[in-house]
Amino acid sequence: MTDRTLDPIALEIAWNGLKSVADECFISIMRTAFSTNVKERHDHSTAIADATGRLVVQAEMALPIHLASMSGLLEGIVQKYGDTIRPGDLFLANDPHVAGGTHLPDINMAMPVFDGDRLLGFVANIIHHADVGGAAVGSMSGGLDEIYKEGLRIPIMRLYSAGTLNTELMELLLLNMRLPDERRGDLNAQISACRLGVFRLGEMIANLGSDVLAQIFDEIVSRTEMRMRAAIAKLPDGEYRFEDLMDDDGCGTLDIKIALKITKSGESICFDFDGTDPQVPGNFNMTWSATQAAVCFGLKALLDPEVANNQGIFDAIEIKAPAGSFVNCVFPAAVAMRANSCQRVVDCVFGALAEAVPDKVVAATNGANTSAVFAGIDPRTGQAYVYLETLGGGMGARATHDGKDAVQVNITNTSNLPVEAIELEYPLRVEEYALVIDSSGAGKYRGGLGMRRVIRPVGHVCEFNGVGERFRHRPWGLFGGCDGAAGRFYVRGDDGTETQLAPKASQVRLAPDAAAVMETPGAGGYGDPVERSREAFEADRASGKFSERWLKENYPQFAAPARVAG
């Protein structure tokens, strides 16, 4: 290793060069993937790691929840394969219990970067695949009570050895997944992005030299840790507590408690989940890596949103989560819907630190990762299809602004799928795509509204699976702000009937004479509603997002309609 001192300008140029590599790999996947979940919704991530498996750079549009997943894979590769890693190898895995993943649909890939015989690092990526087999179409249904039912489990394995594809492994993967042609297309997108990343890093090695690049990796991680610790030091010392409840696990367990105690002293901070309920039969459990990603996001968002997403954040904090608990489950716990639970952990971090940084926190968001899966046989082609989407909802209000409406929040960073993409790709008609009127939590600043999708199968009978959270326990407000509205699923028949569905709705038969209605939760308000400005109130009235009844109930100080002159 060279003793050369890196000046700030050179380091910043190299840092931006690494980010551009990760971003280019991200865009490559987006443009070459087959599934709408990736090419339209961008449910994927890319990253670069050093030779020890420490994550160094994550793409700008990557998902925070994927941070720890990729880190777990990379550490596992180094531990399992060590000195046998060769140029041209490509590793993949998805298992949350033996491969550092967070749920089975997220297939991780990583490819080593060499300079001659010297291993310098890895390029890695994740795609959330629309189906990886298992008992339910889409591998994301509620009610699954063990990991075996959720899909194909992949330990860390070589898909390519020194540039040669393991065709038998590829055949095994595709045989156990629905829509194998789509799966092959998404897997190939991941493979090509790995190769692109290796090529681009090779160009940086040629320009900078391997010693300097390795030193840059070290500097980025260590400076991230230093910057994070400096932000932590600004928090008031003390103990902060918060508890929240998950609605249910889809298998009969209600009101699952997440308990968090945060202890902060100087530059040190500890997140202790002692008192959290044990792991549950249903598939909302969190692995250690999922909890780690949620905690790191929550703290980063409050203290230093611009700091890099890498190993330095992990190194700056301590997490205690009892093994076998809901936030650190053990085999054979089911985990497919863990994103909903991650959202609740972020809410707990915000709730606990609200008194410490009231100007930084947001009220409870929609607190979910509301998912919808439609599956059937396309009457136009006779081929099977699976449409998977996770739906946005309300974002919590802040100290100075209203929350945003119908967006993905916190640890997810995906897009709402355009109506045109749904109707072009699938035999489905989107009859409504709208905001849920009155779903906001009132306050000095109001929470965001949830969204409604109404979808009908065209010319066939399909299966609908939906999973929602914050359908019973509404998103809470802060400092006098009101709770946001809960979400709900129901089927609307052409005869005018409405059939309410469970929050974890599984294998619902949907015919062309009915439509599935998905309404996601809103979000909590911030501050006492009596402090809302007249200007903001009149903007709400003019927006069409709120009924006169809701406005009168929540802002009685402005209840009388404006008089018409003359």
Side-chain angles (χ1 to χ4, degrees):
M1 176 67 70
T2 180
D3 291 329
R4 169 184 169 183
T5 300
L6 290 170
D7 65 88
I9 294 175
L11 182 61
E12 185 69 15
I13 291 171
W15 163 240
N16 280 280
L18 291 169
K19 287 197 294 184
S20 73
V21 173
D23 289 344
E24 186 179 3
C25 292
F26 184 95
I27 293 170
S28 172
I29 290 176
M30 185 176 73
R31 290 180 174 175
T32 58
F34 278 36
S35 65
T36 56
N37 194 48
V38 180
K39 64 185 180 183
E40 297 284 356
R41 296 193 59 251
H42 314 152
D43 197 346
H44 64 288
S45 296
T46 56
I48 297 169
D50 69 7
T52 66
R54 295 184 305 171
L55 214 64
V56 178
V57 178
Q58 194 177 23
E60 185 74 19
M61 292 178 64
L63 277 63
I65 195 171
H66 288 162
L67 176 66
S69 298
M70 286 189 284
S71 178
L73 167 71
L74 293 161
E75 291 173 1
I77 290 171
V78 173
Q79 292 171 5
K80 182 175 180 178
Y81 291 96
D83 294 338
T84 68
I85 299 172
R86 296 165 294 176
D89 286 352
L90 190 148
F91 303 90
L92 88 164
N94 74 345
D95 192 81
H97 293 298
V98 301
T102 58
H103 73 166
L104 298 180
D106 283 351
I107 296 181
N108 292 253
M109 285 193 188
M111 197 169 192
V113 178
F114 280 85
D115 182 22
D117 294 331
R118 180 182 179 182
L119 175 65
L120 282 177
F122 299 87
V123 292
N125 61 58
I126 288 180
I127 277 183
H128 178 123
H129 287 257
D131 185 277
V132 289
V137 177
S139 312
M140 289 278 286
S141 176
L144 303 179
D145 58 7
E146 61 177 357
I147 192 72
Y148 296 112
K149 296 180 181 179
E150 296 190 300
L152 180 65
R153 300 177 62 203
I154 310 169
I156 299 173
M157 303 182 74
R158 277 192 177 101
L159 183 60
Y160 279 80
S161 295
T164 300
L165 172 66
N166 184 338
T167 56
E168 292 180 344
L169 175 56
M170 180 66 86
E171 289 173 1
L172 178 66
L173 298 178
L174 298 176
L175 183 66
N176 284 277
M177 299 177 186
R178 299 173 181 91
L179 308 183
D181 289 341
E182 184 177 279
R183 299 285 69 72
R184 186 190 300 274
D186 284 358
L187 289 168
N188 283 339
Q190 291 184 263
I191 293 166
S192 64
C194 282
R195 290 172 173 165
L196 172 63
V198 170
F199 178 77
R200 291 292 186 229
L201 284 180
E203 293 178 326
M204 292 190 71
I205 293 169
N207 182 42
L208 298 172
S210 57
D211 286 348
V212 172
L213 188 60
Q215 186 180 1
I216 288 168
F217 287 164
D218 287 338
E219 287 277 349
I220 291 171
V221 173
S222 63
R223 290 186 184 214
T224 297
E225 181 182 355
M226 290 170 58
R227 182 167 160 177
M228 200 67 203
R229 289 189 181 278
I232 292 168
K234 295 177 182 177
L235 274 175
D237 287 355
E239 223 175 64
Y240 307 94
R241 295 176 181 268
F242 198 81
E243 293 183 0
D244 209 338
L245 297 173
M246 301 290 293
D247 290 345
D248 69 286
D249 71 339
C251 290
T253 308
L254 300 178
D255 302 336
I256 306 156
K257 182 175 71 174
I258 299 176
L260 174 61
K261 180 181 76 173
I262 300 174
T263 305
K264 188 270 172 181
S265 177
E267 292 186 346
S268 299
I269 192 166
C270 176
F271 295 80
D272 189 349
F273 288 91
D274 188 40
T276 295
D277 282 348
Q279 66 188 56
V280 294
N283 55 358
F284 285 77
N285 299 291
M286 300 171 65
T287 60
W288 170 263
S289 56
T291 298
Q292 188 181 41
V295 168
C296 288
F297 167 83
L299 190 64
K300 175 182 182 292
L302 293 180
L303 301 187
D304 192 348
E306 301 302 320
V307 73
N309 270 340
N310 63 35
Q311 180 68 37
I313 299 178
F314 296 157
D315 294 342
I317 68 175
E318 181 184 4
I319 300 173
K320 295 179 179 179
S325 69
F326 184 70
V327 294
N328 186 15
C329 66
V330 296
F331 177 82
V335 296
M337 305 309 303
R338 91 291 183 226
N340 295 272
S341 311
C342 286
Q343 300 283 37
R344 202 59 48 83
V345 166
V346 175
D347 279 349
C348 284
V349 173
F350 289 173
L353 293 175
E355 295 294 337
V357 284
D359 58 326
K360 302 290 186 183
V361 295
V362 300
T365 65
N366 68 80
N369 198 37
T370 310
S371 68
V373 176
F374 293 79
I377 303 297
D378 190 334
R380 302 169 298 182
T381 64
Q383 299 297 311
Y385 74 91
V386 177
Y387 156 50
L388 162 70
E389 182 171 12
T390 58
L391 304 170
M395 171 189 168
R398 297 156 281 177
T400 56
H401 290 84
D402 293 341
K404 294 181 180 295
D405 304 325
V407 293
Q408 296 285 347
V409 295
N410 296 338
I411 50 83
T412 57
N413 195 29
T414 55
S415 302
N416 296 332
L417 193 58
V419 172
E420 296 84 355
I422 297 172
E423 297 186 341
L424 180 66
E425 295 267 355
Y426 308 109
L428 302 169
R429 180 179 299 122
V430 181
E431 297 186 337
E432 187 177 351
Y433 177 27
L435 299 176
V436 180
I437 302 300
D438 296 346
S439 58
S440 166
K444 180 180 180 180
Y445 296 99
R446 67 163 180 83
L449 279 75
M451 65 174 277
R452 179 189 297 110
R453 275 214 201 267
V454 180
I455 296 180
R456 178 191 300 268
V458 178
H460 73 298
V461 175
C462 75
E463 177 182 313
F464 168 71
N465 295 302
V467 174
E469 265 292 319
R470 293 280 193 210
F471 279 37
R472 292 178 60 243
H473 297 291
R474 297 167 61 182
W476 38 262
L478 275 177
F479 305 117
C482 298
D483 296 347
R488 63 176 182 148
F489 296 137
Y490 59 98
V491 173
R492 179 189 297 163
D494 287 347
D495 59 0
T497 59
E498 290 187 357
T499 304
Q500 198 74 22
L501 300 177
K504 281 70 178 177
S506 181
Q507 297 181 327
V508 177
R509 183 179 180 274
L510 192 64
D513 63 352
V517 183
M518 298 147 284
E519 294 183 356
T520 65
Y526 188 108
D528 195 320
V530 301
E531 298 180 26
R532 191 157 180 82
S533 70
R534 164 70 74 170
E535 181 183 10
F537 173 81
E538 294 299 344
D540 284 343
R541 171 176 279 164
S543 71
K545 298 177 182 179
F546 304 95
S547 68
E548 283 296 327
R549 178 194 57 78
W550 187 92
L551 292 169
K552 181 178 180 180
E553 288 178 355
N554 287 283
Y555 302 108
Q557 71 271 33
F558 305 128
R563 292 185 177 182
V564 179

